[in-house]
């Protein structure tokens, strides 16, 4: 089967891979670029564990083909911290115990970051609806919501 | 003698009794004696039971000690999720 | 040198430091089951039956094997014969023999050089089936004329005259029911049902197995218990246990569903057939839902009697459960715990374990308890209403406490049901005002907990820091709990402890992280192993000082002379002793091996407020409160997390989650779109109160807290809906169509 | 599977027309990839239309109406305040499809051409009177949205035809629309019932109305009787009851895993009332 050469940018670095047209962006990130931070929880866009941004837009990487990544800017959980410095969301997730098993965490962090870039001061309801596509089975969401709200406050410069 | 309390479904394997007096100084010994007295209970013990001794539940502890004063119950074996 | 007398002056226990694996898990670095990649790796895909019940006439893999890149195809013929009992059940479930027993049952598997080729090849495996009549409902499966799924599967317990699909029978209880019901002023009888639900962990099962022609193998797998995986895989393959070494990956949720094997032995068999190349198998979500182990569905009849003061005089329950095509529905636990919250003299349970054409059930958080709680706590709620007694008050009048004889036999030690009820009553949520179409529900729940086989090891490093090795995978922050307990025991900083989850080659046998046992049992093991280390550290100090070890105490991370020698020598810190240990007798470590039996159950009480849309039957959860006894909360944040997670799963079970089968026995909703677990916008904040009635069977008083939390939500939601609408919903899930239908019938009635 | 990324709709139509196996057009991909992953449909030819110029454009015409490129994602619609202000119901319908992540990719045309009876984007497109440009081997034609779905998974588009433009009429004065759906959870479900209402007022009186239902028949459908029930009224209680009755009467649903016939029929009436009230309020707001 003939493969297609794709050149893209992942977390600011140029990346290239060969893929079959039917391979998803998630497959390509995980199996070809060995960036396994994005997870496959469902493969049908229902769980959000594979969330990444493409040209700044939050998407499920399981619902996008690898070939569609040509020329795009992809960011993943692996690009969230700046060097050794965690993003405030990452720090707050640890502080608030906002994860148990942690497998949904990369997707939730990527999705939350996308929200705060668009809306730095979301209400609890706005946040819950924004994250409705990110399933978490461990936490009951309570501590996740608290962590994101707290990170948002910190990023706005408000005292925690 | 140590008294073993059976759950009600075991009565049909123990001549209708729900308590059986047995000899032994460990859980293993009293279970062996129980099966000796009521062989019909053999498959039950073989399939696995938990034993409670004075309120402490011993899932699989044939070595555990029992005394004549011990309160002993046979229990279904537990699992967890 | 001992820790005797340590009660409330904890320095570490009860604090909430960052979890040790936090950084890995927020950066995407943590490696889960599917995240492994090794050179030469093949990909495996399982071929599954589309039929609920079918004889396998022929399997032809010719076309699959002809596909370029395909390295092996296996069927049941590649596995040993002659297994018995549980081992046979596991083997048969991993790979069907003569018959496919449920939609999704594995019938073959392929390994190829890429995932895509393996998937293509799986489609080319030609299986000829003779489709047989099927049954998926528990009540139907017990009826005369129901298709017999496997004759001879019943064990000794089943009385004559029952359908062959009834494979186990339970009859437990005590007292005199007739007398008890005669003493009652109010007797209520009602029938209830619950649907099967799935654990719904977000990480699908994944493993990588490698086995050479010498029969030696390695496995990487996401599991709650890798020794279980080792034992079961070895049994299925007919090899010695120690030929396998199993390493657990990080695990993306389990809730009981990752305590057994499904495709793990297949990866090893494929590897062996493919010349020893490692084979990775990752399930899809639909495979997870169709082919792993959901919990049982239940059909139940409850009869309870009470005096007008609300004292329970008698209780009888009949519980029919199907756990798929194999024995094992958790009706054994149900018949122990159904009425266990209460002090009841006359109590009886009947249980039926029934096989059907559904996947083999696996444990799911407090297996067997939530269904019974739904039936019993709903009945009690109705009786409280009828008698005009507050729902918390009626539970307080019957609640078990220290010294109460349990409904299953032995007496309880110190337990926290009364305390949980009192705390719920005192919480602001219990008196929050309710608006139109809103209602409040209360329910209590119990899980007995578990000790289990446990090995742990604690080693002192050259610089005095401590390595703890345990065998229970960290599924929700247990590394943090172990580190806190070790730090507390040694009197050192939390940061100076590193906790490893060891593979099967590094420790003795461990049961999985299940039964709410990890913090209890591995924690106890960690403390005991630390105490052994401390004894050795004190000995080194005593030797150095030339005094008797009995005259040395361990305080704040250092050995100190005591008694007549007190003050004679400067304390020797753990770091100072460690720095010299090579020359003072060698490395220092401590171990614990045992099956601790001092576990003690955890009771909880939940209070939920709902609003029902009277025109659509939609339920909105407005407020939720979890109160539960933790014995002693080691890391309170993660204790709360267990409470909240259990509540959320219970809410899902109560309202929307269910296995939906068609007439053809096929699962209709094997996708998260239609298997509806709660999403963030479905839930409110989940308030928590941690009650602490210390467990005397743990050095720090710990009770396992993981499972109890899923038990009260089912009846609590039902009771809240009753409070809001007057409707007693007796079947789960309480979906909008069911509630709207009941509302209309109520309006017409 | 062959992947194509043509530079024009004519080329796209040409590839589709000459294809011999299963063909799918790829815009947002949120249905195509699910079908691919579930082994339901593996196209022989996948035609990615996102490289065609203009497919991501949102343009307000001189007449006040809107032209949408066929690859405009839901999130891009909700980020266009003037479009939201004109057609809140239409945008809401689109916005209800899937998660935030899905909104980053999913498109109106994809939702329509997937031809699920339950597509949330469709009823409000119908009530708004949206038309489509359809480019085929024989050129481009215009078609009304309600004429596209033919049944579950089926459309009236012929081999080689591809939707090449979406045209939303001008809102005009004193108008308002709304879309509501019922789902068991709060998000992430397929509609059990969906209802869109678009109306125009003269003073307090409804003078024009269109009502459409989703998930209660093989395709989303206009319900003229329901519209007739409120035209000429001030949406008083009697009109609302008549609307609900007409909406329920128009239902020909099925029992399935998502809902029963009885439930869908009842709730269609409930949603029609609620959506009409919202649309009416919006029309009043427009008039103010």
């Amino acid at each position: 089967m003939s493969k297609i050469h794709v050149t893209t940018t992942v977390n600011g670095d140029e990346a290239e891979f060969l893929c079959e047209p039917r391979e998803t962006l998630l497959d390509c990130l995980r199996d070809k670029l060995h960036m396994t931070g994005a997870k496959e929880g469902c493969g049908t866009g229902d769980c959000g564990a594979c969330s990444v941004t493409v040209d700044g837009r939050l998407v499920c990487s399981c619902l996008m083909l690898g070939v569609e990544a040509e020329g795009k800017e992809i960011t993943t959980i692996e690009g969230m911290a700046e060097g050794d410095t965690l993003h405030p969301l990452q720090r707050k997730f640890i502080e608030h115990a906002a994860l148990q098993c942690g497998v949904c965490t990369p997707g939730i962090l990527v999705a939350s970051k996308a929200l705060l870039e668009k809306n730095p001061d979301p209400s609890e309801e706005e946040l819950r609806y924004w994250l409705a596509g990110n399933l978490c089975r461990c936490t009951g969401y309570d501590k996740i919501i608290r962590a994101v709200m707290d990170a948002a406050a910190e990023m706005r410069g408000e005292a925690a | 003698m140590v008294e073993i309390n059976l759950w009600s479904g075991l009565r049909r394997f123990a001549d209708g009794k729900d308590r059986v007096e047995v000899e032994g100084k460990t859980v293993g010994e009293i279970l062996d004696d129980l099966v000796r007295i009521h062989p019909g209970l053999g498959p039950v013990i073989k399939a696995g039971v938990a034993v409670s001794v004075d309120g402490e539940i011993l899932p699989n502890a044939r070595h555990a000690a029992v005394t004549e004063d011990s309160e002993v119950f046979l229990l279904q074996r537990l699992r967890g999720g | 040198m001992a820790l005797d007398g340590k009660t409330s002056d904890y320095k570490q226990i009860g604090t909430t430091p960052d979890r040790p694996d936090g950084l890995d898990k927020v950066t995407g670095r943590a490696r889960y089951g599917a995240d492994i990649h090794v050179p030469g790796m093949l990909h495996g895909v399982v071929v599954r039956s589309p039929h609920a019940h079918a004889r396998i006439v022929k399997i032809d893999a010719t076309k699959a094997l002809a596909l370029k890149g395909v390295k092996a195809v296996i069927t049941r013929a590649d596995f040993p014969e002659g297994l018995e009992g549980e081992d046979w059940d596991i083997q048969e479930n991993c790979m069907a023999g003569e018959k496919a027993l449920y939609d999704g049952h594995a019938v073959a598997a392929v390994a190829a050089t890429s995932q895509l080729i393996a998937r293509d090849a799986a489609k080319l495996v030609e299986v000829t089936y003779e489709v047989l009549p099927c049954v998926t409902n528990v009540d139907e499966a017990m009826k005369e004329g129901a298709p017999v799924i496997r004759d001879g599967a019943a064990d000794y317990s089943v009385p004559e005259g029952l359908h062959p699909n009834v494979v186990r029978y339970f009859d437990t209880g005590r007292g005199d029911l007739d007398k008890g019901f005669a003493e009652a002023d109010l007797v209520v009888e009602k029938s209830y049902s619950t649907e099967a639900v799935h654990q719904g962990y977000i990480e699908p099962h994944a493993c990588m197995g490698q086995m050479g022609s010498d029969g030696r193998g390695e496995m990487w797998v996401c599991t709650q218990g890798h020794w279980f995986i080792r034992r079961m895989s070895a049994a299925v393959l007919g090899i010695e246990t120690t030929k396998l070494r199993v390493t657990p990956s990080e695990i993306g949720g389990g809730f009981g569903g990752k305590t057994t094997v499904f495709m793990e032995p297949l990866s090893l068999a494929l590897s062996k057939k493919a010349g020893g190349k490692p084979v990775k198998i990752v399930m899809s979500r639909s495979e997870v839902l169709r082919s792993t182990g959901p919990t049982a569905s239940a059909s139940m009849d409850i009869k309870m009697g009470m005096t007008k003061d609300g004292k329970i005089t008698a209780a009888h329950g009949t519980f029919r459960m199907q756990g798929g095509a194999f024995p094992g529905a958790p009706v054994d636990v149900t018949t122990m715990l159904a009425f266990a919250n209460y002090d009841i003299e006359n109590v009886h349970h009947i249980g039926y374990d029934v096989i059907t054409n559904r996947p083999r059930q696996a444990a799911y958080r407090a297996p067997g308890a939530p269904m019974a709680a739904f039936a019993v706590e709903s009945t009690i709620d109705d009786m409280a209403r009828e008698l005009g007694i507050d729902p918390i008050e009626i539970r307080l009048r019957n609640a078990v406490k220290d010294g109460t004889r349990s409904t299953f036999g032995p007496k309880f030690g110190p337990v926290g049901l009364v305390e949980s009820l009192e705390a719920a009553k005192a919480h602001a949520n219990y008196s929050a005002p309710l608006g139109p179409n809103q209602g409040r529900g209360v329910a209590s729940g119990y899980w007995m907990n578990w000790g289990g086989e446990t090995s742990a090891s604690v080693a002192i490093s050259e610089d005095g820091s401590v390595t703890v090795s345990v065998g229970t995978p960290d599924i929700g922050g247990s590394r943090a709990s172990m580190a806190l307990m070790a730090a507390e025991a040694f009197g050192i900083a939390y940061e100076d402890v590193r906790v490893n989850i060891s593979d099967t080659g590094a420790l003795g046998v461990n049961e999985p992280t299940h039964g709410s046992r990890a913090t209890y049992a591995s924690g106890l093991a960690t403390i005991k192993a630390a105490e052994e280390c401390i004894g050795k550290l004190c000995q080194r100090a005593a030797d150095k000082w030339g005094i008797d070890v009995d005259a040395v105490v361990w305080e704040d991370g250092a050995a100190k002379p005591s008694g007549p020698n007190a003050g004679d020598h400067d304390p020797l810190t753990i770091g100072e002793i460690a720095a010299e240990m090579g020359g003072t007798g060698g490395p220092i470590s401590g171990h614990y091996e045992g099956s601790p039996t001092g576990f003690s159950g955890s009771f909880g009480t939940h209070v939920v407020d709902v609003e029902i849309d009277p025109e659509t039957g939609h339920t909105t959860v407005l407020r939720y409160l979890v109160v539960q006894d933790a014995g002693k909360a080691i890391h309170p944040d993660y204790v709360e997390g267990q409470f909240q997670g259990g509540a959320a799963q219970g809410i899902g079970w109560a309202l929307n989650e269910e296995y939906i089968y068609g007439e053809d026995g096929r699962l209709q909703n094997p996708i998260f779109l239609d298997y509806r677990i709660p999403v963030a916008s479905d839930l409110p904040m989940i308030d928590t109160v941690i009650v602490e009635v210390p467990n005397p069977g743990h050095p720090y008083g710990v009770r396992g807290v993981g499972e109890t939390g899923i038990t009260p939500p089912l009846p609590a939601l039902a009771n809240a809906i009753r409070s809001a609408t007057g409707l007693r919903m007796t079947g789960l899930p309480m979906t909008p169509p069911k509630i709207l239908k009941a509302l209309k019938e109520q309006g017409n009635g | 599977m062959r992947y194509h990324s043509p530079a024009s709709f004519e080329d796209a139509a040409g590839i589709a027309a000459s294809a011999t196996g299963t063909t799918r057009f790829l815009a947002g991909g949120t249905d195509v990839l699910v079908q691919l992953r579930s082994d339901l449909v593996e196209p022989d030819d996948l035609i990615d239309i996102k490289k065609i110029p203009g497919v991501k454009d949102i343009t307000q015409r001189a007449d006040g109406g809107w032209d949408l490129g066929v690859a405009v994602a839901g999130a891009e619609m909700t980020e266009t305040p003037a479009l939201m202000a004109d057609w809140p119901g239409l945008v809401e319908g689109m916005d209800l499809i899937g998660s935030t992540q899905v909104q980053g990719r999913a498109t109106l045309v994809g939702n329509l051409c997937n031809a699920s009876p339950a597509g949330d984007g469709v009823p409000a497109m119908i009530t708004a009177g949206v038309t489509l440009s359809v480019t085929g081997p024989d050129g481009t034609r215009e078609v009304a949205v309600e004429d596209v779905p033919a049944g579950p998974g089926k459309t009236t588009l012929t081999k080689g035809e591809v939707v090449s433009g979406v045209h939303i009429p001008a809102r005009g004065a004193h108008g308002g629309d709304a879309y509501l759906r019922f789902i068991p959870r709060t998000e992430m479900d397929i509609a059990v019932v969906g209802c869109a209402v678009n109306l125009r007022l003269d003073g307090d009186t409804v003078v024009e109305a269109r009502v459409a239902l989703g998930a209660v028949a093989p395709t989303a459908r206009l319900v003229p009787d329901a519209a007739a029930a409120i035209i000429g009224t001030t949406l008083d209680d009697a009109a609302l009851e008549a609307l609900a009755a007409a909406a329920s009467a128009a239902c020909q649903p099925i029992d399935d895993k998502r809902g029963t016939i009885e439930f869908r029929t009842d709730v269609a009436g409930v949603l029609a009332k609620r959506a009409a009230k919202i649309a009416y309020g919006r029309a009043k707001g427009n008039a103010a």
Side-chain angles (χ1 to χ4, degrees), chain A residues 15 21 29 36 40 49 68 85 88 101 105 121 134 138 145-146 148 158-159:
Chain A
L29 286 170
T36 55
E40 179 168 311
E68 294 181 88
T85 309
C101 81
T105 308
D121 191 9
N134 288 91
C138 293
I145 301 298
R146 289 177 202 279
V148 178
E158 294 169 15

Side-chain angles (χ1 to χ4, degrees), chain C residues 338-355:
Chain C
F339 299 101
N341 296 355
Y342 304 112
D343 183 356
I344 310 176
E345 209 171 302
N346 310 298
V347 60
H348 205 115
H349 321 69
I350 300 291
Y352 300 87
D353 179 1
V354 183
I355 57 176

